[in-house]
């Protein structure tokens, strides 16, 4: 097994920014597991599946072949062979991902892929259940969080920079609701692993957080 770093935490805590920074500094591969759940959600949306229809999610998720590759160090998610990076970062896909990710068949399929990636390389992987389920033996486990207002502000900035029209209060409500769904689901809920280090990024710079995580590597 190579070096495995697991970063879990709620939406908007800065997991992907930090994980990418660590990967670049240490020469590890960054694995964004949320992107895999989003690609699955995109497939379900395209198939017209209702987010509350568990049986349809069970059946349809078997038809989605999700793989990842890297181009110039950037993770590309392929859905049945199509590069879907450009389609998975919408609020609609995020909401569907939150509804479909608790499904056991969806998780089984994607966790297998994640474990295979970590077995073959030095990885920094971010998600919700990496330290608790996917990589229980990771050398470094971090639970990265920030208060919901700070997380909403970051998301608001990201969306407005992309030219999207949005409302800060709606974003914060959406974040609180997504946290609730991710933390209360039966299978692999978002929670801090017992051996994970808690990092609150609310008042820390990206560099400070990345250095704090790197300092945990033995
Ligand atoms: O981190 P993100 O917003 O891209 O994640 C999208 C959804 O996928 C989110 O609702 C939580 C879910 N997810 C999960 O259940 N397990 C993971 N390891 C990563 C994401």
């Amino acid at each position: 097994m190579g070096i495995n770093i697991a970063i879990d935490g709620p939406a908007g805590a800065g997991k992907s920014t930090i994980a990418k920074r660590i990967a670049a500094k240490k020469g590890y591969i960054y694995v964004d597991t949320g992107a895999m759940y989003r690609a699955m959600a995109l497939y379900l949306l395209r198939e017209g599946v209702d987010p509350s229809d568990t049986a349809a999610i069970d059946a349809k998720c078997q038809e989605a072949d999700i793989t990842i590759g890297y181009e110039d160090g950037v993770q590309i998610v392929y859905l049945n062979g199509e590069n879907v990076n450009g389609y998975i970062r919408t609020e609609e896909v995020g909401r569907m991902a939150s509804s479909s990710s608790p499904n056991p068949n969806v998780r089984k399929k994607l966790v297998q892929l994640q474990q295979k990636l970590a077995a073959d390389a030095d990885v920094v992987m971010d998600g919700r259940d990496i330290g608790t389920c996917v990589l229980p033996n990771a050398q470094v486990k971090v639970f990265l969080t920030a208060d919901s207002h700070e997380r909403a502000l970051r998301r608001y900035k990201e969306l407005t920079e992309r030219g999207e029209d949005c409302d800060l209060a709606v974003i914060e409500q959406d974040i609180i609701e997504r946290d609730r769904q991710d933390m209360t689901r039966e299978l692999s809920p978002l929670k801090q692993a017992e051996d994970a280090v808690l990092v609150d990024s609310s008042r820390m710079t990206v560099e400070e957080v990345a250095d704090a995580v790197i300092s945990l590597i033995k």
Side-chain angles (χ1 to χ4, degrees):
M1 188 172 102
I3 305 268
N4 289 175
I5 300 183
I7 303 184
D8 292 302
K15 299 185 297 293
S16 66
T17 308
I18 300 303
K20 275 185 210 155
R21 188 64 60 99
I22 295 166
K25 280 188 156 187
K26 300 293 291 180
Y28 299 168
I29 289 173
Y30 167 50
V31 183
D32 172 359
T33 64
M36 299 175 191
Y37 288 94
R38 285 173 179 269
M40 179 61 84
L42 177 67
Y43 181 76
L44 298 170
L45 282 171
R46 284 178 173 177
E47 290 293 305
V49 171
D50 184 313
S52 61
D53 187 346
T54 322
I57 295 176
D58 266 342
K60 284 283 171 195
C61 78
Q62 305 298 348
E63 299 168 3
D65 180 40
I66 292 165
T67 52
I68 70 165
Y70 291 87
E71 282 174 26
D72 299 324
V74 176
Q75 176 182 290
I76 311 288
V77 187
Y78 298 96
L79 170 60
N80 293 332
E82 175 194 355
N83 174 347
V84 291
N85 273 29
Y87 305 107
I88 59 176
R89 298 280 155 212
T90 66
E91 294 299 296
E92 189 191 17
V93 170
R95 272 192 294 275
M96 179 53 132
S98 197
S99 300
S100 54
S101 58
N103 184 288
N105 287 335
V106 169
R107 299 207 78 79
K108 191 168 165 213
K109 201 170 167 136
L110 298 182
V111 168
Q112 272 171 4
L113 171 62
Q114 292 154 14
Q115 288 175 332
K116 187 169 180 323
L117 288 163
D120 295 343
D122 292 337
V123 298
V124 47
M125 187 177 286
D126 74 354
R128 304 294 191 287
D129 60 338
I130 310 306
T132 50
C133 299
V134 181
L135 305 176
N137 299 320
Q139 291 87 340
V140 174
K141 295 184 187 178
V142 170
F143 193 83
L144 185 65
T145 187
D147 61 59
S148 61
H149 187 65
E150 180 61 35
R151 290 188 282 132
L153 272 174
R154 291 176 188 170
R155 183 80 185 129
Y156 176 80
K157 206 165 150 247
E158 198 182 307
L159 290 171
T160 46
E161 273 169 9
R162 268 201 255 150
E164 287 184 36
D165 198 19
C166 55
D167 180 320
L168 182 59
V170 172
I171 294 176
E172 187 167 353
Q173 260 328 102
D174 213 46
I175 279 182
I176 292 168
E177 173 53 21
R178 212 169 299 174
D179 285 354
R180 195 194 56 77
Q181 282 197 37
D182 292 345
M183 292 162 105
T184 57
R185 68 185 183 205
E186 214 171 293
L187 192 64
S188 309
L190 168 66
K191 71 163 191 243
Q192 185 178 344
E194 274 176 20
D195 50 351
V197 175
L198 177 70
V199 178
D200 184 337
S201 73
S202 303
R203 272 144 216 97
M204 288 171 84
T205 65
V206 169
E207 217 49 45
E208 283 169 343
V209 179
D211 287 344
V213 178
I214 288 172
S215 74
L216 299 171
I217 306 171
K218 303 266 176 358

